[in-house]
Amino acid sequence: AQSVTQPDIHITVSEGASLELRCNYSYGATPYLFWYVQSPGQGLQLLLKYFSGDTLVQGIKGFEAEFKRSQSSFNLRKPSVHWSDAAEYFCAVGAANAGKSTFGDGTTLTVKP
Amino acid sequence: NAGVTQTPKFRVLKTGQSMTLLCAQDMNHEYMYWYRQDPGMGLRLIHYSVGEGTTAKGEVPDGYNVSRLKKQNFLLGLESAAPSQTSVYFCASSYGVGELYEQYFGPGTRLTVT
């Protein structure tokens, strides 16, 4: 069965600092991987996705993620965090042929001024 | 283009009452999903549908029923609400599988069962 682990429940960074959110997955085949962001009181919005090809994927809002098969990881990065990036971030792994995903428990990002 | 909408936004039920949550999408998506979100537990899939007239169980289906009579609508029913069903419910939809598998989420329904 597929699973996702986000080791960090809560991360605090200063505005302008770099950010890395960790995601580890377990899946038997080549995974479909996603990062979503959820602002308070809102639904989830897709930041980026990986299906195949280049292991470094670019997303919206200046985010990127790197797929590392050997480490079963798909970490999310941003070089310079803005106060508006404060939100909850979810990593998900998809079983593409079944059309459903498994989500991690989320990482809450706080941005200090 | 409204995307995915959910009705109602908030609801308070007493234990044993029933209700239906409505999800509608105007993107002609084949797949629709219902999740619940609880603090520290991420999103858990309740039921999903891969097309009009089909439904399938997800990770936590007990106490819920669903119907997909029309392609654009996906209904989630609670026949006899319990306090353990207090949660935020999200509906999502996607066009298909493979590279079409990007989920679009609704704004959520906050349900409290007393």
Side-chain angles (χ1 to χ4, degrees):
Chain A
Q2 61 203 45
S3 66
V4 178
T5 302
Q6 294 181 245
D8 305 304
I9 297 172
H10 195 175
I11 283 185
T12 299
V13 300
S14 297
E15 190 168 17
S18 63
L19 170 70
E20 182 170 33
L21 301 182
R22 296 183 291 164
C23 172
N24 295 101
Y25 68 90
S26 173
Y27 186 62
T30 299
Y32 285 31
L33 295 159
F34 309 84
W35 274 101
Y36 289 86
V37 61
Q38 183 182 29
S39 297
Q42 304 292 317
L44 279 70
Q45 180 185 20
L46 182 73
L47 281 176
L48 46 79
K49 57 190 176 186
Y50 171 79
F51 291 139
S52 63
D54 193 346
T55 56
L56 184 64
V57 293
Q58 303 296 323
I60 62 171
K61 305 185 181 186
F63 286 91
E64 66 178 26
E66 186 171 13
F67 170 59
K68 293 186 177 180
R69 184 188 300 276
S70 62
Q71 298 177 19
S72 297
S73 69
F74 188 56
N75 295 348
L76 181 71
R77 301 194 294 249
K78 186 170 185 178
S80 177
V81 169
H82 188 262
W83 64 266
S84 60
D85 293 325
E88 190 159 20
Y89 292 80
F90 292 93
C91 181
V93 61
N97 59 346
K100 54 180 180 162
S101 297
T102 298
F103 285 79
D105 289 345
T107 298
T108 299
L109 173 65
T110 298
V111 180
K112 293 191 302 184
Chain B
N1 197 347
V4 179
T5 58
Q6 293 183 232
T7 309
K9 288 186 170 52
F10 303 93
R11 186 72 187 267
V12 178
L13 288 180
K14 294 188 189 311
T15 297
Q17 287 184 320
S18 64
M19 79 163 293
T20 299
L21 306 183
L22 170 64
C23 176
Q25 52 93 5
D26 61 2
M27 296 173 282
N28 202 34
H29 284 172
E30 290 293 333
Y31 289 65
M32 296 187 75
Y33 313 83
W34 276 109
Y35 294 91
R36 58 177 291 171
Q37 183 178 33
D38 302 291
M41 300 187 74
L43 276 78
R44 293 181 290 169
L45 183 65
I46 304 171
H47 286 280
Y48 64 104
S49 167
V50 301
E52 182 179 313
T54 75
T55 63
K57 293 182 180 180
E59 188 183 347
V60 288
D62 294 341
Y64 305 94
N65 57 76
V66 288
S67 64
R68 182 100 181 266
L69 298 179
K70 292 183 179 181
K71 186 177 185 179
Q72 64 267 34
N73 295 337
F74 195 30
L75 278 62
L76 177 71
L78 287 72
E79 290 189 350
S80 179
S84 61
Q85 293 177 306
T86 293
S87 187
V88 181
Y89 292 86
F90 287 98
C91 177
S93 69
S94 69
Y95 189 76
V97 293
E99 299 208 7
L100 300 174
Y101 181 50
E102 170 187 336
Q103 293 187 56
Y104 292 79
F105 283 81
T109 295
R110 186 173 295 275
L111 175 66
T112 301
V113 183
T114 61

